[in-house]
Amino acid sequence: MKNDTRPRFERKKENIAVLVMILLCIPVLFIYFSFFKNAFFVGGTGAFTLDNFRFLYEPIVLGQRTVQPIGQAFTNTVIFTAISTVCEVVISCMAGYALARMEFTGKRVITFSLLSLRLFPGVLLLIGALYVLMYLGVLNTLFGVIIVAIALRLPGSTFIIRNFFTGIPRDIENSALVDGCNRMTAFFQVIIHMVKPGIASISMFAFMSAWSNYLLFNTLIFNTKTPVLATYLRVLSRNDQMIADYGVFAAMALVYMLPVLVFFFISQKQLMEGNISGGKGI
Amino acid sequence: MIRIEALRKEFDKGVVALDSIDLTFEEGSFVALLGPSGCGKTTTLNCIAGLLEPTSGSIYFDEQEVTNLPPKDRNIGMVFQSYALYPHMKVIDNIAFSLKQKGMPKAERHEKARKMAQKLQIEHLLERMPGELSGGQQQRVSMARALVKEPKVLLLDEPMSNLDARLKIEIRDEIRRIQQDLGVTSIIVTHDQEEAMAMADKIAILDNGHIQQFDTPEMLYHHPANLFVAHFMGNPPMNFIDASVSIREDGTWLQGETFAVRAPAAIAEKLAQMDGKAVVIGVRSHQLDVSLAPAPETLELKLSIVENLGKEVMVSGELGESRIRVTMPDGFAGSYEELTTLRRQGGSVYLGLQKEFNVFDKESGVNLIG
């Protein structure tokens, strides 16, 4: 860099740091590369093929099993991700604002329990959640999984966004109130714009966790009528001969990964901002 | 006209921020709420704005009671210490924000915002974001935003405490000019007595949630109601000298540890019934005669510091337990060099009280003269 005015010894140290980082990254990159290579190249001959991607549009036969095309699973995952992300962001914004700004009895207790719930591993609640869903009669449905997923993630994201709301100067809110807003219009016209990095942060985490949710579907859904991408992938590893077809597996993993990568690169800038001040979700 | 009656505000845990505040502001006047931090001046302002709900008491705008109205229904404009501009909006939208809330169409409200911006000389900034403006510019934008809705009352919460000294004076004249142009009743909160004196028609001095005095700057300066006001107002600050009243056949004397002076007739009259009372003499620098030679009925001031302020020379020293600061009057015989030499030799100057000064009750702090 031409405008680099740092002293030489500092640049030297930086070069060493970069070298160490590259050395550490190479093995990881190698693993990724050798795995995803399977998706495009036939094992043995090494010829290029897109044959492994046939699951996108037609049933494929692996050993003695037929694997349905990915369409249904993909739709379910998109529905699940969209609903749970939107609900999580909306609810945690409203709850976070109330906790940051309003006065009501039990505020301290709720804030404290948010924090402790956030530290509590969600897996432990699954058996309880199972019985609750059974009681409500929504076990084995996408709706049931959605409400559990939202409930498990709410404490974390509410806590993060609450801290963003707390950081807004009171003067700005007061100014909006004086300028003719009530709490509601002030919230939507002024406040919400000032927590944009926070919203980016929680929606990113909500999206990633919903998209890759395997645990809930594995526990709360027993049949294969409601497949999502995570459980769809599992079908391959449960192959009768106990040998997975790595070509198809890698192709599916690529398809599965793609939306997350895209979403991540789009919101990366705001995410970094939010990550520093907000901290990571569960 | 704004009327505040028996206003009281308690916060959590029984902290009383304001107690029995009674104030009446004339239509079109400029009033300052002045006091040290924590005295309740901002709390008073927030109660008037409706941002805080008073514990008891009432507030009237003209004859309408507004005590429990939300801020948006009071037709007030407010300028905050931090300016509180909306960071995600362009300057013009910031100014027009309150008009938008009233449902005014875009073209019309932008037109009004532009006119107001012209008055404040910020029309070249309208397309910028608040983050790109300097402190003084943000201040003007926030003034424009407060004034564009033609408010009944303009509230200013320490509007100049984030500006540098020169800009402060510029903006303060500007605010005064616009206030007079528009004739809007204005209330400013400040801890800077000079600012309050320069801008306000009347000043209310608060301490500990009570009003100490509500009067014109002139009255506050010359006739402070009590020791607190006397301490607070004026620069350089008033000098305080402990003394006691002693009524003799040849007049009413104010007697201190090292001096005794006869009170002028007007003051003696007020002190007629107070023989033996412990008092504090409050005297401003310009109310003192200074001489280098001892004379009867003068106060000896042993010099400890001589300062050359350019325009004038200021000396200070100890008189009994209190510290006295005096600027040398025009045409004073001794020069700066002379006084410095005098100080080095451990010398003194002699102060004579003129006809006007204040005498406070040492115990209660009340002004016995005013």
Side-chain angles (χ1 to χ4, degrees):
Chain A
M1 218 189 286
K2 265 181 198 163
N3 298 327
D4 198 342
T5 54
R6 288 168 306 162
R8 186 170 298 161
F9 70 89
E10 218 170 272
R11 264 178 284 170
K12 201 169 162 189
K13 276 186 195 160
E14 187 186 84
N15 289 339
I16 296 173
V18 170
L19 194 74
V20 171
M21 194 184 73
I22 290 173
L23 282 177
L24 288 176
C25 283
I26 283 177
V28 181
L29 287 175
F30 178 74
I31 293 169
Y32 275 105
F33 179 74
S34 52
F35 175 66
F36 287 116
K37 190 184 66 178
N38 291 321
F40 297 101
F41 300 100
V42 183
T45 63
F48 180 77
T49 174
L50 286 177
D51 207 38
N52 289 328
F53 286 89
R54 274 188 304 127
F55 68 87
L56 287 177
Y57 49 88
E58 62 179 19
I60 52 169
V61 180
L62 292 173
Q64 288 137 13
R65 266 170 107 91
T66 313
V67 178
Q68 293 304 311
I70 199 170
Q72 177 70 41
F74 198 85
T75 319
N76 282 340
T77 309
V78 169
I79 291 172
F80 171 74
T81 307
I83 294 179
S84 58
T85 305
V86 169
C87 290
E88 189 185 322
V89 171
V90 171
I91 295 173
S92 58
C93 274
M94 295 197 288
Y97 178 73
L99 287 173
R101 276 294 192 266
M102 303 203 172
E103 294 300 329
F104 51 90
T105 38
K107 180 171 141 173
R108 282 172 60 93
V109 178
I110 294 176
T111 313
F112 180 74
S113 34
L114 281 184
L115 189 62
S116 36
L117 275 175
R118 196 184 163 193
L119 302 174
F120 199 77
V123 189
L124 292 178
L125 294 172
L126 277 183
I127 296 171
L130 188 86
Y131 283 103
V132 172
L133 291 189
M134 205 148 49
Y135 179 77
L136 294 174
V138 288
L139 192 63
N140 224 357
T141 62
L142 193 59
F143 175 72
V145 184
I146 287 176
I147 54 176
V148 174
I150 295 172
L152 285 183
R153 287 197 45 84
L154 268 183
S157 42
T158 305
F159 196 79
I160 294 175
I161 202 76
R162 184 199 83 107
N163 292 343
F164 278 91
F165 281 121
T166 317
I168 300 176
R170 259 180 206 271
D171 275 0
I172 292 201
E173 210 177 333
N174 285 343
S175 174
L177 293 179
V178 168
D179 278 347
C181 291
N182 55 34
R183 271 206 185 275
M184 208 59 170
T185 49
F187 182 78
F188 285 111
Q189 292 190 39
V190 177
I191 309 292
I192 209 85
H193 295 274
M194 305 186 66
V195 293
K196 268 184 187 161
I199 292 176
S201 165
I202 58 170
S203 46
M204 181 71 212
F205 289 124
F207 173 85
M208 290 208 298
S209 114
W211 187 259
S212 62
N213 205 325
Y214 168 74
L215 198 65
L216 288 183
F217 286 98
N218 197 31
T219 325
L220 303 177
I221 291 193
F222 308 126
N223 54 20
T224 48
K225 270 189 220 145
T226 330
V228 289
L229 288 178
T231 44
Y232 183 75
L233 265 174
R234 183 193 54 187
V235 174
L236 285 180
S237 55
R238 276 242 209 106
N239 171 327
D240 301 335
Q241 286 94 28
M242 302 297 286
I243 303 163
D245 182 328
Y246 276 106
V248 181
F249 204 82
M252 282 182 180
L254 261 185
V255 171
Y256 190 23
M257 235 171 67
L258 223 52
V260 180
L261 280 181
V262 171
F263 196 87
F264 183 78
F265 282 118
I266 291 172
S267 61
Q268 194 199 22
K269 197 183 146 210
Q270 272 155 322
L271 184 69
M272 296 308 279
E273 229 173 294
N275 216 348
I276 292 161
S277 41
K280 198 183 176 306
I282 316 173
Chain B
M1 194 183 76
I2 300 169
R3 213 166 77 239
I4 301 176
E5 280 177 6
L7 190 72
R8 181 182 171 84
K9 175 70 190 171
E10 279 174 39
F11 285 113
D12 296 346
K13 295 169 197 147
V15 179
V16 180
L18 293 178
D19 196 12
S20 56
I21 301 282
D22 289 290
L23 287 170
T24 304
F25 306 138
E26 304 288 323
E27 190 69 38
S29 67
F30 200 135
V31 177
L33 301 177
L34 180 63
S37 34
C39 71
K41 51 194 193 301
T42 299
T43 311
T44 311
L45 196 77
N46 283 343
C47 285
I48 297 173
L51 296 168
L52 278 179
E53 205 177 316
T55 313
S56 65
S58 30
I59 301 168
Y60 297 88
F61 286 5
D62 293 331
E63 286 316 307
Q64 188 203 1
E65 176 164 4
V66 297
T67 318
N68 295 313
L69 283 184
K72 70 185 176 75
D73 298 330
R74 297 191 183 198
N75 192 19
I76 44 178
M78 197 159 174
V79 175
F80 294 86
Q81 182 176 6
S82 59
Y83 316 134
L85 300 178
Y86 311 124
H88 59 287
M89 291 180 201
K90 282 193 293 196
V91 167
I92 190 163
D93 292 316
N94 256 287
I95 298 175
F97 186 78
S98 63
L99 304 175
K100 185 180 168 193
Q101 304 310 314
K102 287 182 188 163
M104 192 180 281
K106 191 168 181 175
E108 198 180 328
R109 65 174 194 256
H110 275 192
E111 179 56 34
K112 279 201 158 188
R114 206 159 264 134
K115 271 202 187 127
M116 188 47 74
Q118 241 159 30
K119 270 210 178 90
L120 283 145
Q121 293 147 20
I122 46 171
E123 58 294 27
H124 58 292
L125 304 173
L126 287 176
E127 296 303 313
R128 302 230 202 128
M129 299 304 273
E132 299 162 10
L133 306 182
S134 71
Q137 289 169 333
Q138 290 191 16
Q139 222 285 333
R140 280 163 195 264
V141 173
S142 112
M143 277 290 289
R145 185 180 64 179
L147 288 168
V148 75
K149 58 188 154 188
E150 293 161 12
K152 162 125 192 67
V153 190
L154 176 65
L155 305 174
L156 305 139
D157 186 2
E158 307 223 7
M160 281 163 288
S161 54
N162 291 346
L163 301 175
D164 64 63
R166 234 195 53 184
L167 204 53
K168 231 182 215 177
I169 292 171
E170 191 181 310
I171 295 267
R172 141 178 134 187
D173 294 346
E174 184 100 1
I175 292 179
R176 187 65 175 140
R177 175 178 69 79
I178 286 169
Q179 191 267 336
Q180 279 169 348
D181 276 3
L182 302 176
V184 54
T185 312
S186 306
I187 303 171
I188 185 171
V189 159
T190 176
H191 58 254
D192 181 344
Q193 47 110 358
E194 213 170 308
E195 194 174 294
M197 299 258 252
M199 296 173 79
D201 301 318
K202 274 180 116 181
I203 301 175
I205 297 191
L206 280 89
D207 185 42
N208 275 331
H210 290 271
I211 293 194
Q212 303 294 324
Q213 192 172 0
F214 180 43
D215 225 322
T216 58
E218 204 189 339
M219 289 297 285
L220 289 171
Y221 188 80
H222 291 293
H223 305 284
N226 55 35
L227 274 176
F228 177 81
V229 177
H231 267 290
F232 205 76
M233 297 302 289
N235 191 20
M238 193 183 260
N239 296 305
F240 298 98
I241 306 156
D242 285 343
S244 61
V245 181
S246 138
I247 299 177
R248 301 182 210 158
E249 277 168 22
D250 56 346
T252 303
W253 290 75
L254 291 163
Q255 189 132 25
E257 273 174 42
T258 57
F259 65 90
V261 290
R262 208 184 330 214
I267 292 174
E269 200 178 307
K270 302 271 167 111
L271 299 176
Q273 307 298 322
M274 301 184 181
D275 194 15
K277 199 171 187 69
V279 295
V280 178
I281 301 171
V283 57
R284 297 207 181 269
S285 174
H286 68 265
Q287 296 166 334
L288 288 166
D289 295 320
V290 188
S291 64
L292 292 172
E297 292 188 34
T298 53
L299 292 63
E300 184 184 355
L301 179 69
K302 199 164 159 28
L303 293 177
S304 62
I305 302 172
V306 178
E307 289 169 270
N308 192 351
L309 304 177
K311 178 173 80 149
E312 58 206 357
V313 176
M314 173 142 73
V315 300
S316 40
E318 310 289 336
L319 199 160
E321 283 186 0
S322 46
R323 181 160 198 86
I324 310 289
R325 290 153 71 88
V326 188
T327 52
M328 295 293 118
D330 287 342
F332 176 68
S335 68
Y336 173 63
E337 283 74 21
E338 274 178 84
L339 285 164
T340 321
T341 322
L342 191 62
R343 184 191 67 80
R344 230 178 277 132
Q345 292 161 352
S348 304
V349 293
Y350 298 87
L351 309 174
L353 294 173
Q354 295 175 358
K355 280 222 165 61
E356 275 186 24
F357 54 90
N358 289 291
V359 180
F360 301 92
D361 184 339
K362 188 172 169 69
E363 209 174 306
S364 66
V366 173
N367 193 341
L368 300 171
I369 307 299

